[in-house]
Short mmCIF file of all heavy atoms in Angstrom, two decimals:
data_model
loop_
_atom_site.label_atom_id
_atom_site.label_comp_id
_atom_site.label_asym_id
_atom_site.label_seq_id
_atom_site.Cartn_x
_atom_site.Cartn_y
_atom_site.Cartn_z
N LYS A 43 -2.62 -2.11 -22.50
CA LYS A 43 -2.69 -2.88 -23.73
C LYS A 43 -1.66 -2.29 -24.69
O LYS A 43 -1.64 -1.08 -24.91
CB LYS A 43 -4.07 -2.81 -24.35
CG LYS A 43 -4.21 -3.67 -25.60
CD LYS A 43 -5.51 -3.43 -26.33
CE LYS A 43 -6.68 -3.90 -25.51
NZ LYS A 43 -7.96 -3.73 -26.24
N VAL A 44 -0.81 -3.15 -25.22
CA VAL A 44 0.21 -2.72 -26.17
C VAL A 44 -0.11 -3.36 -27.51
O VAL A 44 -0.28 -4.57 -27.60
CB VAL A 44 1.62 -3.15 -25.72
CG1 VAL A 44 2.67 -2.66 -26.71
CG2 VAL A 44 1.94 -2.64 -24.31
N ILE A 45 -0.25 -2.52 -28.52
CA ILE A 45 -0.40 -3.07 -29.87
C ILE A 45 0.94 -2.81 -30.57
O ILE A 45 1.55 -1.76 -30.41
CB ILE A 45 -1.59 -2.47 -30.65
CG1 ILE A 45 -1.46 -0.97 -30.84
CG2 ILE A 45 -2.90 -2.80 -29.96
CD1 ILE A 45 -2.47 -0.40 -31.82
N TYR A 46 1.38 -3.82 -31.32
CA TYR A 46 2.69 -3.70 -31.95
C TYR A 46 2.74 -4.55 -33.21
O TYR A 46 1.94 -5.47 -33.40
CB TYR A 46 3.80 -4.12 -30.98
CG TYR A 46 3.75 -5.57 -30.58
CD1 TYR A 46 4.60 -6.50 -31.18
CD2 TYR A 46 2.87 -6.03 -29.61
CE1 TYR A 46 4.56 -7.84 -30.82
CE2 TYR A 46 2.82 -7.35 -29.24
CZ TYR A 46 3.68 -8.25 -29.85
OH TYR A 46 3.63 -9.58 -29.49
N ARG A 47 3.69 -4.23 -34.06
CA ARG A 47 3.93 -5.05 -35.24
C ARG A 47 5.35 -4.81 -35.74
O ARG A 47 5.92 -3.74 -35.53
CB ARG A 47 2.92 -4.77 -36.34
CG ARG A 47 3.04 -3.43 -37.00
CD ARG A 47 2.02 -3.28 -38.10
NE ARG A 47 2.06 -1.94 -38.65
CZ ARG A 47 1.22 -1.50 -39.55
NH1 ARG A 47 0.28 -2.27 -40.00
NH2 ARG A 47 1.33 -0.28 -40.00
N GLN A 48 5.85 -5.83 -36.39
CA GLN A 48 7.16 -5.70 -37.02
C GLN A 48 6.98 -4.83 -38.25
O GLN A 48 5.97 -4.93 -38.95
CB GLN A 48 7.68 -7.07 -37.40
CG GLN A 48 9.08 -7.05 -37.98
CD GLN A 48 9.56 -8.44 -38.32
OE1 GLN A 48 9.21 -9.40 -37.67
NE2 GLN A 48 10.36 -8.53 -39.36
N LEU A 49 7.94 -3.96 -38.52
CA LEU A 49 7.85 -3.07 -39.67
C LEU A 49 7.64 -3.88 -40.94
O LEU A 49 8.33 -4.86 -41.19
CB LEU A 49 9.14 -2.25 -39.78
CG LEU A 49 9.07 -1.03 -40.69
CD1 LEU A 49 8.07 -0.02 -40.17
CD2 LEU A 49 10.43 -0.39 -40.81
N GLY A 50 6.65 -3.52 -41.71
CA GLY A 50 6.32 -4.22 -42.95
C GLY A 50 5.25 -5.29 -42.79
O GLY A 50 4.72 -5.80 -43.77
N SER A 51 4.91 -5.64 -41.56
CA SER A 51 3.88 -6.65 -41.32
C SER A 51 2.50 -6.04 -41.55
O SER A 51 2.24 -4.91 -41.14
CB SER A 51 3.98 -7.17 -39.89
OG SER A 51 2.91 -8.04 -39.60
N PRO A 52 1.58 -6.78 -42.17
CA PRO A 52 0.25 -6.23 -42.43
C PRO A 52 -0.68 -6.24 -41.21
O PRO A 52 -1.70 -5.57 -41.21
CB PRO A 52 -0.31 -7.16 -43.52
CG PRO A 52 0.40 -8.45 -43.30
CD PRO A 52 1.77 -8.09 -42.77
N SER A 53 -0.33 -7.00 -40.17
CA SER A 53 -1.25 -7.11 -39.03
C SER A 53 -0.57 -6.70 -37.72
O SER A 53 0.64 -6.77 -37.57
CB SER A 53 -1.78 -8.55 -38.91
OG SER A 53 -0.70 -9.43 -38.70
N TRP A 54 -1.41 -6.30 -36.77
CA TRP A 54 -0.95 -5.88 -35.44
C TRP A 54 -1.11 -7.04 -34.46
O TRP A 54 -2.06 -7.80 -34.55
CB TRP A 54 -1.77 -4.70 -34.95
CG TRP A 54 -1.53 -3.45 -35.70
CD1 TRP A 54 -2.17 -3.03 -36.84
CD2 TRP A 54 -0.57 -2.44 -35.40
NE1 TRP A 54 -1.67 -1.82 -37.24
CE2 TRP A 54 -0.69 -1.43 -36.38
CE3 TRP A 54 0.37 -2.28 -34.38
CZ2 TRP A 54 0.10 -0.30 -36.37
CZ3 TRP A 54 1.16 -1.15 -34.37
CH2 TRP A 54 1.02 -0.17 -35.37
N ASP A 55 -0.19 -7.14 -33.52
CA ASP A 55 -0.30 -8.07 -32.40
C ASP A 55 -0.72 -7.27 -31.18
O ASP A 55 -0.45 -6.07 -31.07
CB ASP A 55 1.04 -8.77 -32.13
CG ASP A 55 1.44 -9.68 -33.28
OD1 ASP A 55 0.60 -10.49 -33.72
OD2 ASP A 55 2.60 -9.58 -33.73
N VAL A 56 -1.38 -7.94 -30.23
CA VAL A 56 -1.86 -7.28 -29.02
C VAL A 56 -1.35 -8.04 -27.81
O VAL A 56 -1.41 -9.26 -27.77
CB VAL A 56 -3.41 -7.24 -28.97
CG1 VAL A 56 -3.88 -6.60 -27.68
CG2 VAL A 56 -3.96 -6.50 -30.18
N LYS A 57 -0.84 -7.30 -26.83
CA LYS A 57 -0.42 -7.90 -25.57
C LYS A 57 -1.00 -7.06 -24.44
O LYS A 57 -0.84 -5.84 -24.41
CB LYS A 57 1.11 -7.93 -25.47
CG LYS A 57 1.60 -8.55 -24.18
CD LYS A 57 3.10 -8.67 -24.14
CE LYS A 57 3.53 -9.33 -22.84
NZ LYS A 57 4.99 -9.50 -22.77
#
Side-chain angles (χ1 to χ4, degrees):
K43 183 188 294 182
V44 181
I45 61 169
Y46 65 100
R47 69 178 175 185
Q48 184 179 328
L49 195 64
S51 174
S53 61
W54 291 89
D55 294 311
V56 178
K57 180 176 182 179

